[in-house]
């Protein structure tokens, strides 16, 4: 078997982000839970967009951010995601390749337009997302590049993508391909609401296919159905090789090889924007 040419291959929602600074009152007026990711249709997304101030467009998506982070550290990352042959699709393709990430997926010529996420950053630096999944919602096993997956040491699956049955099937097939090639499989839970929607299926996926689990504390508690962090640790203990959990100002915890390792948070004088913070934490830990 040839040596892997990639450190990590990410599979997730290929999204162009629109980052806008706004107030808590605006987020509440949209009926969106602060700090969450809410799925919206194209019409609602456009209505919210029209109500916002000036924003900055940048290619994103959780797994794509992680791959860009790995490339920035000198690692070799690849990415699999679905975009359309439209303007935002071309923006995404350009940006991720410019970041040094291998992206070979051909744009879809039919179906929904390329995904976009309205990221509202409140004064306390928290990010709240309203996301139109567009082409991502049609991701399925046919979008997988098995040769690219087999070329990586680690496959990294983005929990946000797990909402559709076809994507769930793609996750299982990707995990099997990675394991057959001798690679590890990792999963980011992505969002506590996403976890609540698919708790039993996430648990089954982790038990059967996942070696490395990433989550923040809210996602971790939702997955385990636990009332407190220590109860959740006991629930997940031994279900995968490594579990890494971020806890905000409390730092993070890594559960691995029979040990629980606590990592304190680095003090920050002024938080500016937490968009992508968890994604880049995953990148740093993986690499």
């Amino acid at each position: 078997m040839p040596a892997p040419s990639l450190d990590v291959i990410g599979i997730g929602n290929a999204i162009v982000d629109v980052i806008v600074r706004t107030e808590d009152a605006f987020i509440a007026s949209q009926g969106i839970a602060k700090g969450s990711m809410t799925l919206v249709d194209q019409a609602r997304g456009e209505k919210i967009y029209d109500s916002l101030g000036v924003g900055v467009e940048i290619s994103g998506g959780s797994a794509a951010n992680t791959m860009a982070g790995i490339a920035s550290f000198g690692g070799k990352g690849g990415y699999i995601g679905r975009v359309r042959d439209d303007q935002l699709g071309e923006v995404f393709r350009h940006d991720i390749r410019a970041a040094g990430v291998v992206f070979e997926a051909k744009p879809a010529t039919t179906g929904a337009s390329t995904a976009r996420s309205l990221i509202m950053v409140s004064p306390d630096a928290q990010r709240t997302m309203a996301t139109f999944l567009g082409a991502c919602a049609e991701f399925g096993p046919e979008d997988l590049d098995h040769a690219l997956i087999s070329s990586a040491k680690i496959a990294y699956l983005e929990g946000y993508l797990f909402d559709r049955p076809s994507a769930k099937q793609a996750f299982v097939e990707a995990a099997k391909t990675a394991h057959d090639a001798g690679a590890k499989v990792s999963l980011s839970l992505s969002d506590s609401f996403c976890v609540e929607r698919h708790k039993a299926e996430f648990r089954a996926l982790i038990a059967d296919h996942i070696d490395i689990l990433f989550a923040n504390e809210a996602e971790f508690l939702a997955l385990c159905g636990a009332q407190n962090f220590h109860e959740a640790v006991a629930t997940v203990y031994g279900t995968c090789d490594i579990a890494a959990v971020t806890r905000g100002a409390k730092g993070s915890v890594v559960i691995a090889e029979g040990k629980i390792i606590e990592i304190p948070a680095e003090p920050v004088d002024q938080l500016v924007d937490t968009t992508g913070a968890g994604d880049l934490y995953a990148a740093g830990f993986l690499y």
Side-chain angles (χ1 to χ4, degrees):
M1 183 179 296
S5 59
L6 296 176
D7 293 307
V8 188
I9 178 70
I11 303 174
N13 286 325
I15 298 174
V16 175
D17 294 337
V18 181
I19 303 176
V20 184
R21 296 197 172 277
T22 190
E23 301 294 326
D24 289 344
F26 177 81
I27 297 170
S29 73
Q30 301 302 312
I32 299 173
K34 182 178 175 180
S36 71
M37 189 281 288
T38 299
L39 296 177
V40 298
D41 59 22
Q42 187 165 354
R44 187 181 179 200
E46 290 175 353
K47 184 176 181 180
I48 295 173
Y49 179 79
D50 289 342
S51 302
L52 289 168
V54 177
V56 176
E57 289 188 358
I58 184 170
S59 296
S62 176
N65 286 341
T66 301
M67 297 309 106
I70 287 170
S72 75
F73 300 149
K76 296 178 181 179
Y79 184 72
I80 297 172
R82 184 181 177 91
V83 297
R84 260 300 301 267
D85 56 345
D86 53 20
Q87 182 177 355
L88 289 182
E90 185 55 38
V91 167
F92 184 90
R93 289 165 61 83
H94 170 271
D95 287 355
I96 196 165
R97 288 172 171 172
V101 178
V102 176
F103 182 66
E104 299 178 348
K106 293 181 179 179
T109 57
T110 60
S113 59
T114 298
R116 73 290 311 260
S117 181
L118 304 177
I119 302 179
M120 295 160 278
V121 181
S122 44
D124 61 356
Q126 178 63 278
R127 95 288 182 269
T128 302
M129 297 178 286
T131 304
F132 168 59
L133 287 177
C136 297
E138 299 165 2
F139 188 94
E142 66 278 4
D143 293 299
L144 295 175
D145 184 332
H146 292 277
L148 200 59
I149 295 169
S150 298
S151 74
K153 298 175 185 176
I154 300 173
Y156 178 78
L157 310 178
E158 174 190 319
Y160 284 128
L161 189 59
F162 202 63
D163 265 309
R164 299 278 180 163
S166 59
K168 293 172 185 175
Q169 183 182 350
F171 270 24
V172 172
E173 292 191 17
K176 289 179 178 178
T177 296
H179 280 146
D180 287 346
K184 296 288 188 180
V185 179
S186 61
L187 169 71
S188 168
L189 289 180
S190 297
D191 184 82
S192 57
F193 291 95
C194 184
V195 175
E196 290 287 2
R197 288 193 294 272
H198 309 287
K199 185 183 299 184
E201 291 165 295
F202 266 126
R203 285 180 172 178
L205 179 71
I206 292 165
D208 295 339
H209 301 287
I210 302 303
D211 305 299
I212 305 167
L213 176 68
F214 294 102
N216 65 30
E217 186 167 4
E219 297 155 4
F220 193 54
L221 293 176
L223 175 73
C224 299
Q227 298 300 312
N228 60 69
F229 184 74
H230 297 291
E231 181 184 336
V233 170
T235 301
V236 80
Y237 198 82
T239 59
C240 53
D241 294 344
I242 301 171
V245 185
T246 57
R247 305 188 70 196
K250 297 177 183 177
S252 57
V253 172
V254 177
I255 308 160
E257 298 179 350
K259 299 178 181 178
I260 299 175
I261 304 165
E262 297 189 24
I263 305 167
E266 186 71 23
V268 176
D269 292 334
Q270 181 181 359
L271 288 174
V272 176
D273 179 5
T274 56
T275 305
D279 307 333
L280 296 182
Y281 166 80
F285 184 79
L286 277 169
Y287 188 71

